[in-house]
Amino acid sequence: MPSSPENLTIGALAKAASVNVETIRFYQRKGLLDQPEKPYGGIRRYGASDVARVRFIRSAQRLGFSLDEVAQLLRLEDGTHCDEAAELAAARLADVRTRLADLQRMETALSQLVVACRTHQGRVSCPLIAALH
């Protein structure tokens, strides 16, 4: 039986959403994706809205939202709660900026240590190893 957009098996759903089947099951266990009823003697079927939901979840995760935050965004998904969604995004943005600042400090420190190691001569201990002690 061919897979139409409204008649997808879990495997076809996973493929359409570019995830694996275990990801679908995980999202179901977390309550992010409904599990359709299983007809007697049959298999569960998914539709285009399920594909869109999984893609939404994945997109939100790529932006750094936790699964709890994704669940909040899904509750706001009708588009009429923009202020609440903006608050979640602002919190995520603040976290990203903090991480960027931390990464910038790490980059500076490591760059200095690499230069120190490359200019290091003789039998004196390695500047990188010494800095880590």
Side-chain angles (χ1 to χ4, degrees), residues 3-64:
S3 294
S4 72
E6 297 300 324
N7 193 25
L8 301 171
T9 64
I10 193 169
L13 168 63
K15 184 175 181 177
S18 300
V19 298
N20 63 47
V21 170
E22 286 309 311
T23 300
I24 302 296
R25 291 185 178 126
F26 178 74
Y27 290 163
Q28 289 172 333
R29 285 191 304 272
K30 291 291 187 180
L32 299 171
L33 182 67
D34 290 333
Q35 187 175 52
E37 293 295 319
K38 183 176 182 180
Y40 182 76
I43 57 173
R44 292 180 173 90
R45 298 294 175 167
Y46 299 85
S49 63
D50 297 307
V51 174
R53 190 169 182 98
V54 172
R55 288 179 179 164
F56 179 95
I57 295 166
R58 296 297 293 165
S59 293
Q61 285 184 297
R62 280 192 298 276
L63 288 175

Side-chain angles (χ1 to χ4, degrees), residues 9 66 75 95-96 101 113 129:
T9 64
S66 69
R75 285 191 290 277
D95 183 53
V96 167
L113 287 168
I129 301 301

Side-chain angles (χ1 to χ4, degrees), residues 48-109:
S49 63
D50 297 307
V51 174
R53 190 169 182 98
V54 172
R55 288 179 179 164
F56 179 95
I57 295 166
R58 296 297 293 165
S59 293
Q61 285 184 297
R62 280 192 298 276
L63 288 175
F65 288 100
S66 69
L67 289 180
D68 288 338
E69 291 167 330
V70 172
Q72 288 178 298
L73 288 170
L74 286 167
R75 285 191 290 277
L76 305 174
E77 159 177 60
D78 66 3
T80 62
H81 300 88
C82 198
D83 289 340
E84 294 170 63
E87 287 177 27
L88 283 171
R92 179 63 30 233
L93 179 59
D95 183 53
V96 167
R97 287 180 173 154
T98 299
R99 289 180 188 192
L100 282 171
D102 289 344
L103 287 171
Q104 195 69 338
R105 282 190 292 278
M106 291 167 57
E107 191 266 343
T108 299

